[in-house]
């Protein structure tokens, strides 16, 4: 019998519903491993970082946290944020610290329309809709450049400057990633999201790099669309989309719109990739920490389980990733849906149904 391949995974449940949905993802992956007849297994280490940790220590994660995470094959993340900690503190102190320190420059967010889930988009009844948002994840509007000044002028006198950073290297590598991804899809097309009519420096550079990169992929159709027009296109002509590449902020917003059109943000997975594999990549559901439903057993685990499937693909287990995705479709088609999708199933019930579908 061949030796079992053990994957070391760092689990960071963090805040709100994060621990609940991450527990579901872990249970599904462990069930998958148990049925592999010893082919592979997962070794988990859970880290207690997040807003609760911040309130106890004044830090969102340990000082040596990044050094400890480097040794893992991948990171599975829950959700960050809690009302008692300012959002910019929690986000920059944990999730963005990991993403930027590990150069996870490609954020991949599939938009999937699942059977049994009613979409608010009428076009979903007539077309098989499936597209991917590729988000530049290392610079752009989330580079953290700027500052606050003139507070001494008194009330109403302070000035804040928030600068976006666009580099040729950053633009080119995310665009080439998008084109390579498009070559693997039935509809070979890349849609670039821009706002160069108003942002005459960063987004003009973005457009110029896109045109240059596109010339190297004559087999892939292209279009360049202003972000406001693209938000309308998501609703009015989504069947024209395949791979959408956008800056950090624009892709963040558009991917949430896509997930809402598919039925709920609770469905949406994502991957924060370091494609060169110099550092571990991190996988997380798109939804937030949802403090209003935390601890009630209502959270939709599908986004986290879908993120785990993306992690399997990244780890070189594409057949197993496909099995998890089929299990998700089987469960939604059977009507086992959480409250955000109009159903009554609990987090545990959906998790159990997913594990049963894997075994079926």
């Amino acid at each position: 019998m061949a030796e079992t391949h053990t994957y070391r995974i760092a689990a960071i449940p963090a805040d709100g519903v994060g621990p609940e949905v991450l527990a579901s993802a872990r249970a599904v992956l462990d069930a998958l491993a148990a049925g592999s007849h010893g082919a592979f297994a997962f070794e988990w280490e859970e880290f207690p970082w997040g807003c609760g940790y911040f309130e106890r220590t004044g830090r969102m994660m340990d000082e040596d946290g990044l050094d400890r995470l480097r040794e893992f094959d991948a990171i599975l993340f829950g959700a960050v944020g809690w009302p008692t900690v300012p959002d910019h503190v929690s986000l920059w102190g944990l999730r963005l610290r990991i993403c930027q320190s590990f150069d996870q420059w490609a954020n991949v967010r599939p938009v999937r329309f699942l059977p049994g889930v009613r979409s608010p988009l009428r076009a979903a009844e007539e077309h098989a809709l499936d597209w991917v948002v590729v988000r530049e994840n290392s610079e752009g509007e989330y580079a953290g450049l700027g500052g606050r000044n003139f507070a001494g002028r008194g009330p109403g006198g302070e000035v804040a400057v928030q600068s976006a950073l666009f580099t040729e290297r950053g633009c080119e590598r995310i665009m080439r990633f998008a084109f390579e991804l498009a070559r693997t899809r039935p509809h070979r097309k890349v849609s670039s999201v821009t706002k160069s009519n108003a942002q005459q420096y960063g987004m003009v550079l973005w457009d110029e790099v896109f045109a240059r990169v596109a010339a190297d992929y004559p087999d892939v159709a292209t279009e360049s669309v202003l972000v406001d027009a693209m938000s309308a296109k998501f609703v009015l002509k989504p069947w024209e989309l395949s791979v959408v590449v956008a800056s950090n902020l624009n892709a963040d917003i558009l991917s949430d719109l896509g997930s809402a059109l598919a039925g709920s943000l609770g469905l949406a997975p994502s991957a924060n990739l370091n494609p060169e594999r110099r550092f571990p990549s991190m996988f997380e559901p798109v939804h937030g920490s949802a403090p209003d439903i935390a601890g009630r057993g209502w959270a939709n685990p599908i986004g986290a389980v879908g993120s785990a499937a993306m992690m399997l693909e990244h780890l070189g287990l594409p057949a197993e990733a496909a099995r998890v995705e089929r299990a998700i479709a089987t469960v939604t088609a059977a009507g086992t849906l959480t409250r955000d999708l109009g159903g009554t199933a609990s987090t545990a019930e959906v998790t159990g149904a997913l594990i049963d579908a894997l075994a079926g």
Side-chain angles (χ1 to χ4, degrees):
M1 182 177 176
E3 184 179 351
T4 299
H5 190 130
T6 300
Y7 298 94
R8 296 189 65 231
I9 310 298
I12 308 175
D15 307 314
V17 299
E20 299 168 64
V21 299
L22 209 63
S24 295
R26 287 181 58 172
V28 170
L29 289 181
D30 285 340
L32 189 70
S36 74
H37 306 292
F40 63 91
F42 298 101
E43 179 185 313
W44 301 94
E45 183 171 345
E46 186 168 303
F47 294 88
W49 303 329
C51 290
Y53 187 84
F54 178 85
E55 291 176 335
R56 296 191 302 272
T57 67
R59 302 181 62 88
M60 288 296 296
M61 65 186 298
D62 290 336
E63 286 191 40
D64 65 346
L66 293 173
D67 289 333
R68 294 165 67 187
L69 290 176
R70 286 175 196 270
E71 305 304 316
F72 289 87
D73 295 307
I75 304 163
L76 199 58
F77 192 88
V80 66
W82 196 250
T84 56
V85 179
D87 288 342
H88 68 281
V89 172
S90 59
L91 187 64
W92 280 95
L94 185 56
R95 184 191 172 276
L96 286 181
R97 186 179 176 201
I98 294 170
C99 287
Q100 296 199 358
S101 298
F102 286 168
D103 200 20
Q104 295 169 349
W105 52 265
N107 182 221
V108 182
R109 296 185 167 190
V111 177
R112 296 196 180 101
F113 288 70
L114 292 168
V117 177
R118 184 175 178 83
S119 166
L121 189 66
R122 282 184 295 175
E125 300 170 5
E126 304 170 12
H127 302 271
L129 300 177
D130 174 19
W131 70 89
V132 180
V133 176
V134 174
R135 172 186 177 188
E136 200 295 312
N137 206 35
S138 66
E139 51 183 47
E141 303 87 351
Y142 293 178
L145 299 176
R148 296 174 63 171
N149 299 280
F150 307 127
R153 290 182 175 180
E158 189 171 8
V159 175
V161 175
Q162 189 81 45
S163 297
L165 172 70
F166 291 90
T167 66
E168 281 194 72
R169 177 175 177 268
C171 294
E172 180 168 344
R173 68 182 182 179
I174 197 65
M175 290 169 182
R176 290 195 181 278
F177 183 94
F179 275 97
E180 294 294 335
L181 178 60
R183 279 181 166 171
T184 69
R185 294 173 60 80
H187 184 25
R188 293 187 171 190
K189 180 180 179 181
V190 176
S191 302
S192 171
V193 179
T194 183
K195 193 58 180 172
S196 51
N197 58 342
Q199 295 175 296
Q200 71 271 44
Y201 304 122
M203 293 263 70
V204 168
L205 175 63
W206 176 278
D207 289 352
E208 291 172 352
V209 174
F210 183 73
R212 173 162 53 81
V213 171
D216 293 337
Y217 295 86
D219 55 318
V220 179
T222 64
E223 64 178 351
S224 184
V225 184
L226 295 176
V227 63
D228 39 354
M230 183 59 83
S231 64
K233 191 166 190 172
F234 266 45
V235 176
L236 299 176
K237 294 184 178 181
W239 56 86
E240 295 185 356
L241 304 172
S242 180
V243 176
V244 178
V245 64
S247 68
N248 220 327
L249 176 62
N250 289 338
D252 195 6
I253 295 170
L254 287 171
S255 59
D256 276 13
L257 173 60
S259 299
L261 292 173
S264 170
L265 261 65
L267 299 172
S270 77
N272 301 287
L273 300 176
N274 174 248
E276 302 89 353
R277 297 178 185 258
R278 293 181 295 112
F279 305 100
S281 294
M282 183 165 69
F283 303 82
E284 60 175 330
V286 169
H287 64 71
S289 58
D292 56 325
I293 64 167
R296 298 190 180 190
W298 296 352
N300 189 341
I302 288 177
V305 174
S307 301
M310 297 182 77
M311 185 179 76
L312 291 171
E313 181 85 31
H314 178 74
L315 293 174
L317 298 170
E320 288 74 14
R323 282 187 62 197
V324 173
E325 290 171 356
R326 286 195 299 271
I328 290 172
T330 297
V331 169
T332 59
T336 307
L337 306 174
T338 45
R339 296 179 183 223
D340 58 310
L341 298 174
T344 59
S346 66
T347 308
E349 287 169 339
V350 173
T351 305
L354 289 167
I355 292 172
D356 290 343
L358 281 176

